[in-house]
Amino acid sequence: LSKQKEVAVYVPHVANIAERDVDVLRDDDLIAPYARLGRLLEDQAAFDEALGWYKRGLQLCEERLGSKHPDTATSLNNLAQLLQATNRLSEAEPLMRRALAIDEASYGPEHPNVARDLNNLALLLLATNRLSEAEPLMRRALAIAIACYGPDHRNVATSLNSLAGLLQ
């Protein structure tokens, strides 16, 4: 809570950039204000406002960077995670699938971002009781995490935890 108060003083400045000065943002920084404002508002349970920032960030990424850019995938994931958190699972799923396809094409099938996307999609499938679809995605995410980080990394633990929850 004290961290939120610290950050709150910067929100008007970041919002001003996101609303009026987006043209001064470098391509590498384009999604940052939208992702951060969305996350802050999401943490405060201001879901409708967060949704607006995530959607605007996605729109700008698609316009400026293209529909197949990795930052577009990140924007899709941000929006999909919020939709999932607000129980709009059928809206979240196609966004997650699109983000996964972009990251696989951008980074290759064995990249950590692909593992993250696979795990996110698998958790959504688990939430919709589609266990037989979720399990192979979780197993693939786990294999990628082990290959990228080694067996004792926290990302491997996250993947193991997800798989254990599904198997339970």
Side-chain angles (χ1 to χ4, degrees), residues 101-167:
I102 293 168
D103 281 342
E104 281 182 317
S106 296
Y107 301 117
E110 304 301 318
H111 192 273
N113 287 11
V114 172
R116 178 204 60 213
D117 296 346
L118 287 164
N119 199 53
N120 288 345
L121 178 57
L123 290 172
L124 181 135
L125 294 170
L126 177 62
T128 60
N129 203 32
R130 291 154 61 192
L131 308 182
S132 63
E133 292 177 65
E135 185 176 349
L137 300 180
M138 285 186 182
R139 290 187 183 281
R140 184 172 161 216
L142 175 61
I144 294 168
I146 291 170
C148 290
Y149 302 116
D152 297 326
H153 193 271
R154 65 184 172 89
N155 289 5
V156 172
T158 299
S159 290
L160 282 168
N161 191 50
S162 295
L163 182 58
L166 177 136
L167 294 173

Side-chain angles (χ1 to χ4, degrees), residues 10-130:
Y10 300 106
V11 169
H13 175 68
V14 175
N16 187 51
I17 291 170
E19 290 171 342
R20 295 189 189 100
D21 297 328
V22 69
D23 53 319
V24 302
L25 291 172
R26 296 176 315 155
D27 288 352
D28 290 348
D29 298 327
L30 183 61
I31 66 169
Y34 306 95
R36 291 192 178 109
L37 287 167
R39 180 73 53 205
L40 178 68
L41 291 163
E42 190 176 348
D43 289 347
Q44 295 172 354
F47 299 121
D48 289 338
E49 290 178 74
L51 185 69
W53 287 113
Y54 287 145
K55 283 183 175 181
R56 181 69 176 131
L58 174 59
Q59 175 191 4
L60 287 169
C61 281
E62 288 179 319
E63 289 172 2
R64 195 152 130 190
L65 306 174
S67 62
K68 298 183 186 308
H69 192 277
D71 285 350
T72 299
T74 299
S75 294
L76 286 162
N77 266 318
N78 290 342
L79 180 55
Q81 291 293 306
L82 175 63
L83 291 170
Q84 183 175 2
T86 57
N87 204 33
R88 295 162 67 178
L89 305 179
S90 63
E91 293 175 65
E93 184 177 344
L95 302 179
M96 287 184 181
R97 289 187 183 280
R98 190 170 154 218
L100 173 60
I102 293 168
D103 281 342
E104 281 182 317
S106 296
Y107 301 117
E110 304 301 318
H111 192 273
N113 287 11
V114 172
R116 178 204 60 213
D117 296 346
L118 287 164
N119 199 53
N120 288 345
L121 178 57
L123 290 172
L124 181 135
L125 294 170
L126 177 62
T128 60
N129 203 32
R130 291 154 61 192

